[in-house]
């Protein structure tokens, strides 16, 4: 099997399925393209070692349907660590309503999360080629994660930022233009890769 998509309802019981999801993902070791949902990102670190799978996986493209909420950070780290051959992570930004209520399951400093864990990912120094961000809104967490990709990933060749297109304005403010300005500011960030190209659409 070359491709798989894992999409679970956010209404099922939370902590109980961490071990099940780890076992399921481990059985997809031949998959090269994997799509995962917000629920999986929040739950999978509970089931095994909190930082990675116990064996390296073969995924080349990882599509994450996420709100980039703090509760999803550990799951994103878990998957990036588990896929040392990863070439193309794609972040499809969605609604935060799929994020669980309540206290976080892991005690981490979310403001420093990506700085403190920058050393963990093997793919960031060897195989990574392109990062795609879809439905970019310019939130604080989106800026943090995008900055980490641009500054910290040494072999990255391309970042594609797709702005969320909306026709509505908020109290007379052109929301889409504001998002575009934020994305354009990322062009000024120092780049970890000298060959990095950043495209904004």
């Amino acid at each position: 099997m070359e491709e798989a998509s894992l999409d679970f309802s956010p209404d099922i019981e939370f902590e109980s399925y961490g071990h099940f999801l780890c076992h399921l993902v481990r059985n997809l070791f031949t998959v090269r393209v994997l799509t995962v949902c917000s629920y999986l990102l929040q739950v999978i670190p509970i089931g095994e070692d909190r930082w990675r799978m116990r064996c390296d996986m073969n995924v080349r493209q990882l599509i994450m349907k996420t709100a980039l909420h703090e509760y999803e950070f550990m799951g994103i780290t878990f998957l990036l660590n588990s896929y040392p051959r990863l070439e193309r992570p794609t972040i499809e930004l969605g609604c935060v309503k799929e994020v669980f209520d309540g206290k976080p399951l892991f005690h981490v400093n979310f403001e420093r999360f990506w700085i403190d864990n920058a050393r963990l990912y093997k793919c960031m120094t060897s195989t990574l080629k392109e990062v795609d961000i879809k439905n970019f809104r310019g939130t604080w967490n989106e800026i943090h994660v995008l900055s980490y990709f641009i500054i910290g990933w040494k072999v990255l060749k391309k970042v594609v930022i797709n702005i969320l297109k909306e026709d509505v304005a908020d109290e007379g403010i052109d929301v889409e233009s504001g998002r575009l300005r934020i994305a354009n500011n990322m062009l000024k960030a120092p780049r970890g890769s000298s060959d990095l190209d950043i495209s904004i659409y």
Side-chain angles (χ1 to χ4, degrees):
M1 184 166 57
E2 287 285 316
E3 185 170 350
S5 179
L6 302 177
D7 191 359
F8 300 96
S9 167
D11 297 325
I12 60 179
E13 188 177 355
F14 191 20
E15 294 95 338
S16 302
Y17 290 91
H19 288 283
F20 167 77
L21 288 178
C22 277
H23 181 72
L24 175 61
V25 172
R26 192 163 53 243
N27 285 338
L28 298 173
F29 62 90
T30 62
V31 166
R32 296 173 65 90
V33 180
L34 178 64
T35 301
V36 300
C37 62
S38 174
Y39 177 85
L40 185 140
L41 293 174
Q42 294 171 75
V43 173
I44 196 168
I46 304 169
E48 208 165 83
D49 183 323
R50 63 183 290 187
W51 293 111
R52 59 164 289 141
M53 301 288 288
R54 292 173 184 166
C55 59
D56 290 344
M57 307 296 287
N58 197 43
V59 168
R60 301 301 203 272
Q61 181 178 6
L62 175 64
I63 302 167
M64 294 175 283
K65 296 182 177 181
T66 171
L68 287 184
H69 189 277
E70 289 91 342
Y71 292 2
E72 300 169 309
F73 284 178
M74 284 298 300
I76 294 171
T77 295
F78 184 96
L79 294 181
L80 291 176
N81 269 326
S82 299
Y83 303 137
R85 302 177 185 87
L86 184 65
E87 298 175 356
R88 185 182 176 188
T90 297
I91 296 175
E92 292 189 1
L93 292 163
C95 183
V96 295
K97 69 180 182 180
E98 295 185 354
V99 176
F100 290 93
D101 295 328
K103 296 180 180 179
L105 297 173
F106 302 99
H107 298 288
V108 296
N109 184 342
F110 290 120
E111 292 184 358
R112 289 186 51 85
F113 185 87
W114 298 104
I115 298 172
D116 292 342
N117 295 289
R119 66 189 181 279
L120 293 175
Y121 316 121
K122 187 184 296 184
C123 63
M124 68 182 285
T125 58
S126 57
T127 60
L128 200 77
K129 297 178 180 178
E130 179 178 337
V131 173
D132 294 336
I133 311 284
K134 299 182 178 181
N135 300 323
F136 181 82
R137 296 178 176 88
T139 67
W140 186 250
N141 281 354
E142 291 172 19
I143 294 169
H144 265 277
V145 174
L146 185 55
S147 297
Y148 171 67
F149 290 156
I150 292 172
I151 297 170
W153 291 33
K154 306 301 182 184
V155 295
L156 189 59
K157 300 296 184 185
K158 188 174 184 180
V159 170
V160 179
I161 306 171
N162 289 280
I163 306 295
L164 179 63
K165 303 295 192 300
E166 290 180 339
D167 295 327
V168 298
D170 183 10
E171 298 181 353
I173 299 173
D174 188 341
V175 177
E176 186 177 323
S177 294
R179 292 168 179 164
L180 183 58
R181 283 194 298 273
I182 294 172
N184 280 321
N185 283 336
M186 304 309 299
L187 298 174
K188 304 174 185 177
R191 305 183 186 190
S193 169
S194 58
D195 298 325
L196 177 59
D197 176 68
I198 302 175
S199 300
I200 301 171
Y201 299 99

